[in-house]
Structure formats: structure tokens, C-alpha cells
Amino acid sequence: MNEQNCDPPSVGKSACCPPPKVEAATCCPPTKATEPCCPPKAETPACCPAVADDRPGYKLWAFVSGWHDSPVGRIPQIATKLTASDILGRWQMRWGLGRMRYSIAPGLYAIGTPSSTSPVLVTANYKMTFDLVRRDLHNHDVWLLILDTKGINVWCAAGKGTFGTDEIVRQVQTTKLDQVVNHRTLIVPQLGAPGVAAHFVQKRCGFKVIYGPVRSRDLQIFLASGHQATPEMRRVSFNLAERLVLTPVELVSMWRQILWSIPILFILGGISPEFFSFAAAWQRGGAAILAGFAGLLAGAVLSPLLLPWLPGRGFAFKGAVTGFLVAILGTIIFAAQLNWLNSLALLLALPTIASWCSMHFTGSSTFTSPSGVEKEMRHAIPGQAAALLVGGLCWIAAVF
Amino acid sequence: MAELRYIEDVVTLELDAEICIGCGMCQIVCPHGVLVVEERKALITDRDRCIECGACAGNCPVEALRVKAGVGCASAIIHSWLTGEEPSCDCGGSC
């Protein structure tokens, strides 16, 4: 592709730089001997190192923009500008597509041209996390130490311990970080703290942990101010945009339950005085599936968005309230088609589904305690089961 | 905007102020501003905001803080009820 870089300056044939089809490797081997032939133009690295770094079976990530020399060898230098494919990848993740395989190799990376005095920032090997961090460190010269968190973000991985003391110590040792930098400080994201014991990291590998801000977008100010984080930078938030962006994956995560429910509702919908009716299965089963989707949207999208304004504390209760409002709307819109038993079924079942889905949003939220979630579930699940059972019986009784 | 607060009087966070050396690490790591150091001793200011993430206890060099840390996630808790394992994010691979 970059043949012109390798073309000899003269028209005459050249043994040193033949057309790429003959043998690419002879184009610009990293030996001094070829220099007279391949002029030391600034563009030449673009031509050859990419070829030199190709390994059978491996492909270089597009974010590797070059290589940075360090006392322990060449370190991949990464771009701070995100490309269309990075943004597409982020959208895929938001919809839960291939989310468990979106990781990069752990180890040491360079942003800009860091030196032995440049800061070392630690983060996870979830590519979405990595992308946001490098984007937010535009125009900086820093080292990035990527931990092997199995492709999980910092906070969740810290909860599991994969972003933790052991892994930090392991990466510091395997990357020979003590030879790369002459200071002994690691900047670790604050949300990594549940997995990290700063005093043990220092004891075990000599590096002092400084907790950086919660959000990577505050890193530039944090670095510029001599590692000072404002109280604001230390607090997690959960604003409307932050909740909205988490709802698609919440919907997608319900796919198993959705797939199971559809045939069950068609079969139950077909129950009729003459044992089974396909017309009823289609009509009543279809209506029930639509009601189920309304409940799903109420609990997994509407309730998370309206979270601060819904009454109560428990997510299950908030979801039930949202679902109940949607169900009332449904009974009004379809008043002509629904007898009282059908209406009662809708008023019981739809809020239950919404309550169940909303309860699962606790896992995405930033302010729920496990003790609280367990407590609300112990109260909510029996109620959900009872409401679903009674609602289902009403629905079936409605045809008799 | 209305403030987001969760269920009250359930949190397992405990602080032994006797042992506390006032290093301030807990105040740094807490993502909800629950812990504040005043006059060289940590204080629990608003315990119902605690999400039991365990960051403070894990980073306390003198073990003055105790909390039953875990994952505040319904799927993880259901998974633990069904399997008897500790709740973790390893529930079906999607969360």
C-alpha cells in the first residue's frame, strides 16, 4: 500500500528496493546497509514497521500508532483519537453484542512519548474502558498499565477481585515497570479500590498507589493539578444519560426469559371452553405477549429513566408503580375488548413483569447495597409470584 | 433533580474509631462520600449511602473498618440462592 515510500529515488532498477510483489521484507530491513537505497524519509516507518510487526496468525490493533523505545524494549504506542470502528464497537457493547470478548492484551502501553519520569496509569483490559481512557489522555505523555480483568470494566472487575492487588503486582513485575520508570507511583482509578489494598501493593512491589478520579474525563485536570481530585471527581453519579445508556443491555439480557414466555403465552392463550382454540391462541396469546413487552419496557427502560421521581426506595416497587400506570393506560385504551377478568389480569401481570425487570436494574445502578438488594428481593419475589399466579388465573378464567 | 437514595438501615458498615489513625484513605476511596476524616479520626457521615463495595475496608491499613462487601445486583443474588455460592458477577456471563 505504501509502495511509493520504498520506491528508489531514481527511475533505474534497484536491487535494494524491488517492487513489493517480489519480496516485501527486502524493502526496508532494519539494517543500516539499506539506508542509501531507501532514503531516510520520515514516511518510511509507515511502510515497513507494520510489516515487521506482523506475526503469523496475529493482527495488529488499529489503535497501535507506532512503537516507543523503553529500557525494556519496544512498547506499543497508542492513538488517542477514536476511529469509527471503536465507536461502532462501543455501540455493540451497549447492546450486549459480544460483550464478553471485547478485550485487549494486558501489559504496558505508551501514550505520546513517555519517559522514565512520566506517570503510570492503571486500567482494565475491557476495550471500551481502554478506548475512553486513551481518548481522555489526548496530548499527554503517559504509560498505561493494562491489567488482565478478563475484558471486564474497572468497577465490576474490582468487585470480583480481578482488578486487584495480585494482578497489579503481577503486571508491574511482568512488564519490568521498575526499569521503565524511575519513580514508584501508580495512578489507579478510584473505582478499582474495592479490589485493591494500596498498602499491600506498596509492600509487595514497591509502588505507591495513588487513587485517581472516578471518571477518566477528569484525568487531565487530576494530572495537571499534581494528583488532586475534587470531592466531585471522587463521587459516582447516576444521571439520566448514565441510566439511559445502560437500558439497552438490560433489555437484551432478558432475551432468555422472553424466548421462554412467547410459546407459553401462545399455549395458555389457546385454552378455551372447547379445550383448545388456535384462533384464541393467536389472538389472546398475542395480546398477552404485547402486554409482556409493555411490562418489559416499563420495567427495564421507563423505570430506570424515572428512577429519582418514582415513589419508594426499592427498585421492584418502583418498577411495579411504573407497570401499574402503563397497565391502567392499557385498560383504558382497550376497554372495549377487555372484560373485567382480563383487565384484572393485565393490572396484576404487567406490573409484576415491570417489577421483576426493574429489580434487575439494581445490578446496573451505582447506589444499591447488596444488603438492600437482598432485603428488597426477599419481600418482592413472593409478591411478584403471587400477583403473576392470580393474574394468570384471571386471564385464563376470562374465557370461561 | 431528585436525589437517588436506596433502602435504609441495612448496611453492614462498621467503624472502630479507637483503632483509626486518621490516614484518610477511606475518605479518598469511598464513591459516595460516606466517610469523612475530622480531627484525625474517620466518621461515618451518611451510612445509608454506603453501597458495601468494600473499598474503604480493603484500603484501611489498620483494619478499623468492616463491611460485608458484595455485589448489589439482583441476578447475582438469585444466582447465589440457587447455587449456594457467594454472589458474584459471574451469573450467566451477561452481567
Side-chain angles (χ1 to χ4, degrees), chain B residues 1-90:
Chain B
M1 196 187 87
E3 194 190 15
L4 286 165
R5 293 188 71 92
Y6 197 49
I7 296 165
E8 309 212 309
D9 298 325
V10 288
V11 165
T12 55
L13 178 68
E14 280 173 46
L15 165 70
D16 188 339
E18 291 279 297
I19 310 174
C20 175
I21 53 168
C23 71
M25 207 56 171
C26 54
Q27 184 174 348
I28 289 173
V29 296
C30 179
H32 283 285
V34 172
L35 291 143
V36 173
V37 177
E38 273 174 21
E39 289 167 25
R40 316 206 63 199
K41 288 283 178 195
L43 280 176
I44 298 174
T45 56
D46 190 352
R47 70 181 299 116
D48 289 329
R49 279 189 179 282
C50 171
I51 58 168
E52 300 174 313
C53 70
C56 57
N59 282 280
C60 177
V62 292
E63 295 179 23
L65 283 153
R66 237 172 253 278
V67 65
K68 191 175 170 291
V71 204
C73 166
S75 312
I77 291 170
I78 291 174
H79 187 257
S80 86
W81 285 347
L82 298 177
T83 61
E85 293 164 17
E86 279 293 299
S88 82
C89 291
D90 285 323

Side-chain angles (χ1 to χ4, degrees), chain A residues 48-390:
Chain A
C48 299
V51 177
D53 288 309
D54 274 348
R55 302 269 184 281
Y58 288 84
K59 186 173 146 237
L60 208 59
W61 278 97
F63 57 71
V64 178
S65 60
W67 298 89
H68 183 60
D69 284 320
S70 84
V72 295
R74 295 192 317 157
I75 303 293
Q77 202 173 30
I78 56 184
T80 53
K81 201 168 178 308
L82 300 191
T83 63
S85 77
D86 297 324
I87 290 156
L88 179 73
R90 177 144 45 119
W91 272 91
Q92 280 179 306
M93 294 311 108
R94 290 302 189 194
W95 286 92
L97 303 167
R99 207 151 60 103
M100 294 297 133
R101 302 183 298 273
Y102 202 53
S103 57
I104 61 154
L108 193 62
Y109 292 80
I111 291 181
T113 50
S115 68
S116 61
T117 55
S118 300
V120 180
L121 280 74
V122 182
T123 193
N125 78 332
Y126 182 33
K127 180 153 182 293
M128 200 206 285
T129 306
F130 172 74
D131 282 353
L132 295 178
V133 171
R134 64 191 170 97
R135 183 199 67 186
D136 290 335
L137 287 168
H138 183 60
N139 282 340
H140 275 63
D141 295 322
V142 298
W143 301 102
L144 261 194
L145 187 68
I146 306 290
L147 304 189
D148 185 6
T149 61
K150 316 290 172 203
I152 305 289
N153 70 68
V154 171
W155 207 11
C156 288
K160 294 170 76 159
T162 45
F163 188 107
T165 306
D166 289 348
E167 178 60 11
I168 291 181
V169 172
R170 196 175 77 87
Q171 289 299 341
V172 164
Q173 286 164 351
T174 54
T175 59
K176 303 193 182 83
L177 191 64
D178 57 343
Q179 295 174 39
V180 178
V181 291
N182 55 24
H183 63 80
R184 292 291 175 264
T185 304
L186 299 172
I187 297 171
V188 175
Q190 187 191 329
L191 292 186
V196 177
H199 50 291
F200 287 133
V201 172
Q202 183 155 29
K203 216 172 277 175
R204 287 174 50 188
C205 68
F207 278 81
K208 178 180 159 55
V209 168
I210 290 183
Y211 287 109
V214 165
R215 286 161 291 267
S216 67
R217 64 159 182 263
D218 293 326
L219 274 172
Q220 302 226 8
I221 302 173
F222 180 80
L223 291 172
S225 64
H227 305 160
Q228 292 301 308
T230 63
E232 197 64 53
M233 292 181 198
R234 296 234 170 266
R235 296 286 285 267
V236 293
S237 52
F238 206 37
N239 60 38
L240 189 68
E242 288 167 330
R243 300 196 297 276
L244 178 66
V245 77
L246 295 175
T247 55
V249 86
E250 203 61 30
L251 279 176
V252 174
S253 71
M254 295 282 172
W255 69 272
R256 237 187 230 107
Q257 289 162 53
I258 296 168
L259 282 187
W260 272 108
S261 316
I262 288 173
I264 291 173
L265 288 173
F266 273 129
I267 292 166
L268 291 178
I271 295 174
S272 72
E274 61 272 17
F275 185 60
F276 193 83
S277 149
F278 282 98
W282 180 246
Q283 215 175 12
R284 282 171 44 80
I289 290 164
L290 285 182
F293 271 104
L296 176 72
L297 288 175
V301 180
L302 219 50
S303 173
L305 292 184
L306 299 176
L307 217 52
W309 303 285
L310 289 168
R313 290 284 166 88
F315 282 44
F317 183 77
K318 287 171 184 279
V321 170
T322 316
F324 194 68
L325 294 175
V326 172
I328 288 177
L329 203 66
T331 56
I332 294 168
I333 294 170
F334 299 103
Q337 289 102 311
L338 300 171
N339 63 24
W340 70 274
L341 274 170
N342 276 321
S343 296
L344 188 60
L346 185 67
L347 290 171
L348 284 166
L350 198 155
T352 303
I353 294 164
S355 173
W356 174 260
C357 296
S358 178
M359 190 173 80
H360 280 76
F361 195 67
T362 49
S364 297
S365 87
T366 61
F367 66 100
T368 53
S369 60
S371 297
V373 176
E374 185 153 359
K375 183 181 175 182
E376 81 157 289
M377 285 171 68
R378 285 190 190 284
H379 287 93
I381 290 176
Q384 289 165 347
L388 196 65
L389 185 70
V390 175

